[in-house]
Each structure stands twice: as structure tokens, then as C-alpha cells.
Amino acid sequence: MINIFNGGTIFMKRIVLILLAFVLLFSFFVTGCGSASNNEEGSIAATTVKTAAPAEPEQYFLPLVNAPATITFATTENASGTVTMSQNLPVWVELEKRTGIKVKWQCTSSKDYDQTIQTRLASGTNLPDILRLPQQNPLTYADNKEVIPLTDLINQYAPDIVQLFKDKPEVRNGLITPDGNIYWIASILSARSVVNYPAPIYRKDWASKVGLGAPQTIDDWYNMLRKFKESDMNGNGKDDEIPLYLSGLGELNIFAWSYGLMLSPNDSSTNGATDNDSYQVDSNDKVYFLYTDPRFKEFLTEMNKWYTEGLVNKELFNTTNDDLTAVVMANQTGASAGFNMIAPQWTTNMQQTIPDAYWDTVYPPKGPGGEQHLLQERPLSSELYAISRDCKDPGLVVKWLDYVFASEDGQILIGNYGIEGDTYTMVNGEPQLTDKVIKDPRGTGAVQWEEGINCAVPRILMSGIFAQRFGIFPQAALSMDAASKFYLQMFPNIIPTKEESDTITGIMADINTYRVEMETKFINGTEPLSNFDQYVSKLNSIGIDQVTQIKQQQYDRTSK
């Protein structure tokens, strides 16, 4: 396995490996086992040294090629909004130096990506070497042979991924499809959930102004928002405060957790939740659909009250993150929800003009039935990365993925810390973020994205970095304490058989369209909640009971 990072001497093993590489290459010439050609850049098939398939994954050396090569990669665009992935960002320049492989990016905004890549996959021509798969029904692309199986390639060319599977068998098990193959690599992002996760946050200074402490229950939240609405909280003499400002349906769903319904924070008025995100398991291992549960009506009733009383932004269903940031910085809102460690960033930015402004984390509100939960992130994320059938040298691409995704050096460079001496230094044998990252007033994520770190590529987040990124803020202590007390597991991401996928896909498209439409209408009041039973009956007629039965079968076979 490649591991040039150990004990603070980051290049020691690289020197050893280079020496070994010379010895190995010399033996190739002496014995005639093979050699690499010197073809021009872009011909990745021609630059790989071919060897017989070993019993264990072969140990590769850096650089991975003997002449410059290029890999094409389709994924979502850099989240910074200030740079693009195609701008030769620093960590990718460094990666090219190490591996000899340049990445030619084919990026689309996160909003448009799924539709764009689905169109390309449907055409079936000129596919990139690596692509992030659409979230809905990824197995379809394996069944259609648009992406290739990786099982044998991993076993032959990916020593660090093989070791990861040995150390964490749940990762391997979560990637295996019903036909026994692995077709993609999934990012592992759950380390961030120790401190940074979806949850409500609020303006502590506003609450203090109206004589309130941190809200502890759903009723406390309602009363606090009412106070914000009735008072001139920003002191400008105008009725322009929006007590709770959210950038979509998913953020509103966070308050459903207080009713015992672990609705997806990724839900939206355009895409809806995935089928796995729409289900939950009770204490008797019975699977049920969240959006027909009687508690869902309770939640909708409360949210309808908040909406009709003007406690939440009217544009809730068509609001962007940019809209949210603008309202926050304009001092017009006192509460929100989303990844909660945005709170210290907003505080720092607002205090430049409003010294008393303070966004704080808070325990999840207790609901009318005593439910108090946070949604625990799955071990494997829904970010799936596959190799297309048009890739000319899958073996080389798998080696590159192994280094980027699973080697310690790749994890440090691409997913977490970046470049030594720039975004981190070594202290007592451990990487420590520099002030360039920690003290940026925009927050630590901004610098990382601009460097090309922690972007939409296969990556494993390291738990230590989150203590560094967020542990310096006072809001982190409560956040970490809440994470240790209130997590409830999500329904697992279960890969369906082809027959199951065909059935679920056909039904859930109509289910999601109707369900999101009705949830929106129930909240904004254009559909009376007295019609909730009719809504449930309609979902049953579309076929939700059939999908639930399939989900029960899936859960039963994978949970044993």
C-alpha cells in the first residue's frame, strides 16, 4: 500500500518506494516481463506497466504512469462558488505531480448534474472515465452495462481499498449489489457527524432580547418565533423580520424529527427524497412509509401554523442557499436549520457590523410525544463513483482511485488537509490545519473548497480534522454533546435487485411527485389538512403498499 505519511517524515517511504521501483523496473528489463511505452499525453492505456494478475493486489508506485496521462471525470461543480474544478486547483496540481495523471473535469452544478449525466448515460457514447452516478436507481447503469464491475479490478489493483474492506467489512457489504459485484465506490463522510450535522440553530442574542433562553421543545420554538415576529428585532423600525428562514423543504423536515419521523434533510420540492430516505423501521423491525404515518399529519399541522402566521419564509419551497445567506447577513432572521456549524461562521461575519450578533447551536427540540432525535448519517454516503464502459484503461483508473480514496496520503491531500506547509503542518506526527484555513472569516470550508479539498470526488473524511475545524468555536461543545445523545439511525441504503428496482422506479416517481405536491399544499394552506386521509388513500392507490412490502423484504434479507 502507498503510505508516504508516517511519523512526521512525509517523504521517507516515498524515497524507499522510488528505490524499489528502480529495482523492479530493472528486473523487468532483465527478465523481459514487460515495459512501458512512451506514447503521447492522453493515451492512458499505453502508459501502464502490465503484469500478470497477482493473488493479492499488486503494490503500485508513484508516479502511476511513465508518461503524462489524462483521466476524464464527471461530477458536481466546486461548492465554493468562487472557483471551478477546471482551474488547476492546488491539491489537484499536487496530485498530478505525484501520480503523473491530470484530471480533465466535466462538471455541472449540483442542481443540474443528475439530469445532465442521465442524458449522457442514455446516449451511451463518449462517457467519461469516472462519473458520479445519479442518486436514483444507480444499479440501472450497471444493468445496462454503462458502468463496469469493479470487484476483480479492486482485488488486482487496489491494495488500500482491499485493506479498507478488511478493516471495515460494513463498507464492502454496503457496496455489494445483489449479483455479488461492486460497481462503484461511495464516499465515507460520517466522521463529520460528531460535530457538524443537520439541526436547528438560532440567534441567541435575539432570544435574550425578548427574555428567552434556548428553546427546548417544539412549543418553545413556536413561542420564540412569535416573539421574533412581534418585535422589531433588528431595530430598524420596519416589519421586515422573518423569524425562521429556511432554504428548502428538507430543512423544514428537520423539525419532523421531534415527532419521531426521520424525514430526509435532502428532500426538495423538485427531487423529493430517495426511496430509502422515505422509510423507517420500528422497534419490531417493521418497515413503514414515513409520509403516511399519522404523526406526519401532526407535523404538517404544526408547520401549517408556523407558515400561515408568517413565522417561516413564504418562499420556502423555492429558496436557495444564497437567498438564505443574504437574509442572515441583512440581520433579518433569527433562526434557521441545516448543517449546524454554519453558526460560528455566521456569527463571525455578522459581528463585523453587528457586534452582539450570535448564532448558537441548540439541542433538538422535544416534540409533543417526548420524541427528541437527530438523524445519524449513514456510514456510506449517497455519493457513488463508477468507471464507465468507455474507459480505455480501467486498471490504471482503479489504481488512481485507490490512491485518491483509500491511501492515507490521498485522504490527507484530497479529502481532508491538503498540502503540507500550506493548509497544514505536522505537529507531533499529526497534521494540523494552518491559520490560512482556521482563521479565514468565511469559515474553514471556504478555503478547503478553493484549494480543491473535500470536493465531490471519492473521499474518506477523517474525524480529527473536524475537531480542528470546529472545536475552536464555543458552539461546538453543545453540538458534540447532542450528537452523543440523540442520534437515531437512518433506514439503510439497500441496493435492490433489478426486478425490485424496476417496480420501485415505476411507482416512486409518481409517489414523489404527488407526495411533494401535497406536502407543499398542506403546509402553505392551499389544501386543508382535513383531506389528509384522502392523500393517504391516493398514495395507496398509486402503489405505496407494494413498495413498502419490497422494502420490508429488502430489510429482512440484509439485516440478518
Side-chain angles (χ1 to χ4, degrees), residues 48 112 358 485 532:
T48 308
D112 299 327
Y358 194 89
K485 295 176 178 177
F532 185 81

Side-chain angles (χ1 to χ4, degrees), residues 428-494:
N428 298 324
E430 298 292 334
Q432 298 290 318
L433 292 171
T434 61
D435 287 349
K436 177 179 179 178
V437 180
I438 295 295
K439 294 188 177 181
D440 192 288
R442 300 169 299 166
T444 56
V447 178
Q448 289 194 311
W449 288 330
E450 290 176 350
E451 293 283 315
I453 305 166
N454 193 20
C455 295
V457 298
R459 64 203 188 281
I460 300 174
L461 298 184
M462 296 173 160
S463 58
I465 195 171
F466 291 95
Q468 294 181 45
R469 285 183 59 186
F470 302 120
I472 60 174
F473 301 113
Q475 294 95 330
L478 185 146
S479 182
M480 288 187 283
D481 185 56
S484 70
K485 295 176 178 177
F486 299 112
Y487 269 139
L488 199 66
Q489 288 187 341
M490 300 178 73
F491 189 81
N493 259 337
I494 300 173

Side-chain angles (χ1 to χ4, degrees), residues 253-306:
N253 283 349
I254 291 172
F255 290 94
W257 304 346
S258 300
Y259 295 80
L261 298 172
M262 308 313 288
L263 304 185
S264 172
N266 298 318
D267 202 2
S268 76
S269 57
T270 54
N271 296 326
T274 67
D275 55 282
N276 285 323
D277 288 344
S278 301
Y279 281 90
Q280 201 161 308
V281 183
D282 68 15
S283 57
N284 295 316
D285 286 340
K286 182 179 179 181
V287 175
Y288 60 94
F289 185 63
L290 290 164
Y291 296 95
T292 53
D293 191 282
R295 293 170 295 176
F296 185 53
K297 183 179 181 180
E298 287 186 70
F299 163 69
L300 292 174
T301 301
E302 184 69 20
M303 294 303 103
N304 170 258
K305 181 171 70 173
W306 291 15

Side-chain angles (χ1 to χ4, degrees), residues 44 48 64 70-72 101 129-130 150 157 386-388 391-404:
I44 61 176
T48 308
L64 296 174
T70 300
I71 286 175
T72 52
I101 296 174
D129 294 314
I130 308 171
L150 303 181
Y157 297 116
I387 297 176
S388 82
C391 178
K392 298 297 188 295
D393 192 343
L396 177 62
V397 173
V398 166
K399 289 180 183 179
W400 184 87
L401 283 170
D402 185 76
Y403 181 76
V404 168

Side-chain angles (χ1 to χ4, degrees), residues 45-123:
T47 57
T48 308
V49 176
K50 301 293 185 181
T51 61
E56 293 291 328
E58 66 180 53
Q59 305 299 311
Y60 52 80
F61 304 99
L62 297 182
L64 296 174
V65 291
N66 298 318
T70 300
I71 286 175
T72 52
F73 196 143
T75 187
T76 53
E77 187 54 272
N78 190 291
S80 68
T82 58
V83 299
T84 65
M85 294 300 291
S86 61
Q87 288 181 254
N88 293 321
L89 303 182
V91 301
W92 295 95
V93 172
E94 173 63 21
L95 181 68
E96 183 180 349
K97 291 178 183 176
R98 294 186 189 182
T99 64
I101 296 174
K102 181 180 181 62
V103 179
K104 184 176 181 181
W105 298 101
Q106 300 174 2
C107 293
T108 310
S109 69
S110 57
K111 178 182 178 182
D112 299 327
Y113 178 78
D114 276 10
Q115 182 176 350
T116 300
I117 200 66
Q118 283 170 347
T119 301
R120 293 188 63 183
L121 285 163
S123 71

Side-chain angles (χ1 to χ4, degrees), residues 22 31 77 125 181 221 223 237 327 337 347 440 456 474 517:
F22 280 120
T31 63
E77 187 54 272
T125 58
N181 265 310
W221 270 88
N223 292 330
V327 170
T347 297
D440 192 288
E517 175 189 349

